[in-house]
Amino acid sequence: MLAEASDVSTHVGRSFPGLRERLRDATAVAHRDLDAQLTSLDLATLSGYRRFLQASAGALLPLEAALVEAGVARMFQDWPERSRSAAIAADLGRLGSAAQFTVSVRPLTRSGVLGTMYVLEGSRLGAKFLLKAIADAADPRIGEATDYLSHGAGQRLWQSFLAKLGAEDACDDEAIEAAGAAFAAFEQAADRA
């Protein structure tokens, strides 16, 4: 079915979704499942917030490593400003824990970079809501460990990512597969945290 939708040349006069919409639609269930899994953690408690950060780091670290290996900096010259591995490691250090790889991910193609970045950059949007959820935490250590959730605030990283995504010619199934794999990595890491 996806292959049929991507063949725009045979469907003149009909509107077909671009890569952003295809990524959103193809990952909607995985996104909803991951949100449900993570919202079961009480982020207002030190143990719940630490577990959230450990789960996030377990997937973020290997995903960002795969992006670097695939040459993400050639596609996104601002990659050093986008990478959040150091931020999450610092937060976990403040909470007396360490950031660790807990899942493995496959090497990425150029399209795989886009699909993975879709998930990682999109997670910044949800981070705003998570910051609100921990704002009233009784333990002050939680409020001191928000580098990961506040990373990139005010930098319009999502908008610039969407501009790059929109400039891509193909509606590539590899990007969709990589986005699904990124969501799966976060789900597996959450199971192991």
Side-chain angles (χ1 to χ4, degrees):
M1 180 164 174
L2 290 177
E4 294 172 28
S6 66
D7 186 7
V8 177
S9 64
T10 62
H11 298 89
V12 177
R14 292 173 55 190
S15 176
F16 292 95
L19 184 53
R20 176 187 181 187
E21 291 78 15
R22 289 186 63 212
L23 284 163
R24 183 193 60 227
D25 293 347
T27 61
V29 172
H31 191 175
R32 188 173 47 247
D33 291 349
L34 180 60
D35 282 350
Q37 188 176 16
L38 294 177
T39 56
S40 68
L41 300 173
D42 184 358
L43 301 186
T45 66
L46 185 60
S47 63
Y49 187 59
R50 183 185 297 127
R51 190 164 166 226
F52 164 77
L53 288 175
Q54 288 169 331
S56 297
L60 178 75
L61 297 176
L63 287 168
E64 285 197 351
L67 287 167
V68 169
E69 185 67 28
V72 68
R74 288 190 301 275
M75 293 174 70
F76 295 89
Q77 286 73 37
D78 62 349
W79 172 249
E81 290 80 41
R82 291 179 183 272
S83 175
R84 292 184 280 174
S85 291
I88 203 164
D91 286 345
L92 281 165
R94 286 183 192 99
L95 300 180
S97 189
Q100 299 176 5
F101 283 55
T102 59
V103 299
S104 61
V105 297
R106 293 185 176 145
L108 299 171
T109 62
R110 178 181 175 83
S111 294
V113 167
L114 290 172
T116 301
M117 289 289 287
Y118 171 81
V119 175
L120 297 184
E121 291 300 321
S123 72
R124 292 180 196 277
L125 303 175
K128 295 176 194 176
F129 298 104
L130 297 176
L131 280 168
K132 290 178 186 176
I134 63 170
D136 296 326
D139 193 322
R141 293 176 289 179
I142 294 173
E144 295 167 0
T146 59
D147 288 356
Y148 171 64
L149 290 179
S150 61
H151 189 274
Q155 292 184 18
R156 302 184 49 81
L157 295 173
W158 176 245
Q159 292 83 356
S160 64
F161 168 74
L162 290 179
K164 175 73 172 168
L165 189 66
E168 291 297 313
D169 293 331
C171 294
D172 197 319
D173 290 338
E174 280 185 47
I176 293 169
E177 289 172 19
F183 273 113
F186 277 101
E187 285 185 49
Q188 291 169 5
D191 285 339
R192 295 174 184 171

